[in-house]
Amino acid sequence: EDAVACGNIGYPVVSAVAAGHAVLAVELSSFQLHWSPSVRPAAGVVLNVAEDHLDWHGGMDGYAAAKARALLGDVAVAGVDDPVARGLLAAAPAARRVGVTLAEPGPDQLGVRDGMLVDRAFGGGELLPADAVVPAGPPGITDALAASALARAHGVPVVAVRTALAGFTPGPHRSAPVGRVGGVTFVDDSKATNPHAADAALAAAGARAPGARAVWIVGGLLKGVSADTLGELARRHAGHLAGAVVIGTDRAPIVEALARHAPDLPVREVAAGNHEGMQTPGNPMPEAVRRAAELAGPGDVVLLAPAAASMDQFRDYAHRGDAFAGAVRELTAAPTPPGTSRTEGAHR
């Protein structure tokens, strides 16, 4: 069947409609949902509702109300492990409500049983081993279950769903490895523009290899989100964090929050400017990547998961991710040995 992904991912919905595609898989932002009260998707999903765009929506209630508009069609799907999303599903007017969960699924749910993704809502049975899902970790599994629910709601045969899950590769700027230097892997998750997405990226980084640690590049525009939320993330993931490098306009409150919540975590703060001729004005990435490499050791991961918007220093999250990849290439050309500054005190 002629289907295309469009919407907030970059391909405009109007272009997809004009091209005559039969089925649209649309990602809509909370802004787009707010301004589109007539939207009635055949099937819609809300994965979670966590702090984001609160400066624009005026608070969590307005943000959640916008998200709920994705559930106004015939089939509503939501991540029921998230309490707010679970509440939106329960209140949805959809004729059919389907939950996705990391636990064993009940009727009208997709979930995980004995290490397998299982569809009990549409009778698809076992779909894929959970440890085969890419990207790895709980967030990736939840995404796979939600995508399966939408596909099955549209009538996609279960064999096609299994094949798609097994062959899935994340798009650019979504936990994408962009280089390896001195045994350190550099991962671009610039699409992680809010704390919830960064939490998922940090969890995935921790699942990459036993004992591997991550250096977290974080910061930008917080969009009304409390910096303490990022500090709490650092505390929660402290067991596999080797350090943090903070960039962006709102870096000062983030540095302070990291100091409060994870006082033992080495932190480096990077302002835009020139460093030894490496950096173009306004682009913090060469310096951020260099400092992250100093905190990392062989086997570790340097993870760009900013938990913030990019427009203070970049055109968009893709531009930010490209700048990160370019800085990694620059480091490859003139490498700074990873781990050389691991014992230095935190720069706060």
Side-chain angles (χ1 to χ4, degrees), residues 47-342:
L47 290 170
N48 52 69
V49 183
E51 288 187 338
D52 199 8
H53 304 300
L54 302 188
D55 53 346
W56 194 90
H57 288 285
M60 280 295 289
D61 289 346
Y63 181 54
K67 289 275 194 176
R69 288 186 171 174
L71 306 179
L72 299 180
D74 297 331
V75 180
V77 181
V80 296
D81 295 337
D82 181 275
V84 181
R86 183 172 63 245
L88 296 182
L89 182 65
R96 185 167 191 187
R97 296 190 289 266
V98 176
V100 297
T101 175
L102 294 173
E104 183 166 341
D108 284 325
Q109 288 187 340
L110 289 80
V112 181
R113 182 178 62 206
D114 298 329
M116 293 289 297
L117 273 62
V118 176
D119 167 19
R120 290 193 64 193
F122 302 97
E126 293 186 345
L127 301 174
L128 189 76
D131 61 8
V133 172
V134 178
I141 293 171
T142 300
D143 288 349
L145 291 167
S148 299
L150 291 181
R152 294 291 292 144
H154 184 66
V156 176
V158 66
V159 64
V161 173
R162 290 173 181 150
T163 300
L165 290 176
F168 177 73
T169 301
H173 315 299
R174 295 163 171 83
S175 289
V178 296
R180 188 172 174 84
V181 182
V184 177
T185 301
F186 292 78
V187 176
D188 169 16
D189 205 325
S190 185
K191 185 65 170 68
T193 59
N194 60 59
H196 198 278
D199 188 18
L202 288 165
R208 281 182 176 269
R213 302 191 304 166
V215 178
W216 182 22
I217 299 180
V218 57
L221 292 172
L222 287 176
K223 301 175 288 184
V225 174
S226 169
D228 282 323
T229 303
L230 305 188
E232 177 58 26
L233 281 187
R235 186 200 63 77
R236 192 182 313 150
H237 293 280
H240 65 267
L241 275 179
V245 177
V246 186
I247 64 173
T249 297
D250 291 336
R251 63 186 180 275
I254 296 173
V255 169
E256 293 168 4
L258 293 177
R260 286 194 299 272
H261 293 271
D264 296 327
L265 182 70
V267 175
R268 306 291 185 266
E269 181 180 354
V270 174
N274 292 317
H275 177 80
E276 298 176 358
M278 294 176 63
Q279 193 152 327
T280 57
N283 176 15
M285 281 303 172
E287 175 73 355
V289 165
R290 184 188 69 82
R291 286 178 173 266
E294 291 173 353
L295 290 168
D300 290 345
V301 172
V302 170
L303 172 67
L304 172 67
S310 58
M311 287 80 75
D312 55 337
Q313 294 175 312
F314 304 95
R315 288 191 306 274
D316 51 29
Y317 74 83
H319 182 208
R320 178 170 59 189
D322 290 343
F324 174 73
V328 173
R329 289 192 297 270
E330 191 171 320
L331 189 68
T332 304
T336 299
T340 56
S341 297
R342 175 171 291 176

